C-alpha cells in the first residue's frame, strides 16, 4: 500500500501536482461574467442566451419581467435610451442540485445624453442547470439607500 501511494505521489509530482477540477461555482462565475461582458457591450443575443426561456427579472424599479422575450424587449428599450455599465462583486455562490444562486453587490454607471448617474445596490441571480448548461432563471436587483452596513456573509 505504501509503495502504491509513493508511486501515485511521484506521478502527480511529474504531472505538475494535483489537477484542479472545475466546480459548479466556477461555472456560475463564468456565466455571470459572460452576462456582464455582453450586457456592458450591449450584445443583445449573447445576453439573452444566458437566460432560461421562463426567466424572471425583478428590476430596481419594481415589477416582474417574465420570459426571455420580455427581458429582451426590456434591454432593447434600456439600451435605446441609455448606456449602462455594470460591475458585479459576488459575495456568495451556493448550489443545491440543479439550482444555484449568486448574491453580491453591483455598481452601475448609466449615461444618457452626456449625463452620467451612478447606481449601487445588491443583486441575486438564481441559476438552473439545463441540458445546455447553467442559465439564469431569476434575477433580482435592489438599490442601496443610505450607508451600506459593510457586512458580508462569510463564504
Amino acid at each position: 500500500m505504501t509503495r502504491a501511494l509513493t508511486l501515485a505521489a511521484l506521478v502527480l509530482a511529474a504531472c505538475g501536482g494535483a489537477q484542479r477540477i472545475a466546480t459548479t461555482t466556477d461555472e456560475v462565475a463564468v456565466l455571470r461574467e459572460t452576462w456582464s461582458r455582453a450586457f456592458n457591450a450591449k450584445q443583445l443575443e449573447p445576453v439573452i442566451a444566458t437566460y432560461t426561456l421562463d426567466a424572471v427579472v425583478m428590476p430596481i424599479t419594481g415589477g416582474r419581467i417574465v420570459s426571455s422575450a420580455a427581458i429582451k424587449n426590456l434591454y432593447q428599450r434600456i439600451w435605446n435610451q441609455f448606456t449602462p455599465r455594470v460591475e458585479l462583486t459576488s459575495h456568495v455562490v451556493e448550489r443545491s442540485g440543479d439550482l444555484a444562486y449568486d448574491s453580491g453587490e453591483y455598481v452601475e454607471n448609466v449615461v444618457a445624453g452626456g449625463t452620467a448617474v451612478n447606481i449601487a445596490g445588491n443583486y441575486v441571480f438564481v441559476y438552473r442547470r439545463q441540458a445546455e448548461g447553467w442559465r439564469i432563471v431569476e434575477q433580482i436587483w435592489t438599490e442601496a439607500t443610505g450607508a451600506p452596513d459593510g457586512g458580508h456573509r462569510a463564504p
Side-chain angles (χ1 to χ4, degrees), residues 46-141:
V47 167
I48 298 307
T50 65
Y51 292 95
T52 62
L53 291 176
D54 61 342
V56 175
V57 169
M58 291 180 253
I60 63 172
T61 56
R64 296 172 67 85
I65 313 301
V66 180
S67 84
S68 60
I71 294 166
K72 181 177 183 177
N73 182 277
L74 171 70
Y75 289 148
Q76 283 175 321
R77 288 188 331 230
I78 289 171
W79 292 340
N80 284 337
Q81 298 176 31
F82 307 104
T83 300
R85 176 161 181 75
V86 68
E87 292 181 31
L88 304 175
T89 303
S90 178
H91 293 298
V92 62
V93 175
E94 292 195 19
R95 173 194 174 202
S96 179
D98 288 339
L99 293 176
Y101 75 90
D102 172 17
S103 176
E105 298 172 310
Y106 73 91
V107 175
E108 186 173 18
N109 177 272
V110 180
V111 178
T115 303
V117 175
N118 289 316
I119 303 167
N122 299 292
Y123 73 85
V124 175
F125 287 14
V126 179
Y127 304 93
R128 182 171 55 213
R129 187 171 49 190
Q130 302 189 147
E132 63 275 10
W134 290 94
R135 296 293 181 264
I136 301 166
V137 68
E138 296 260 347
Q139 196 174 46
I140 306 161
W141 300 93

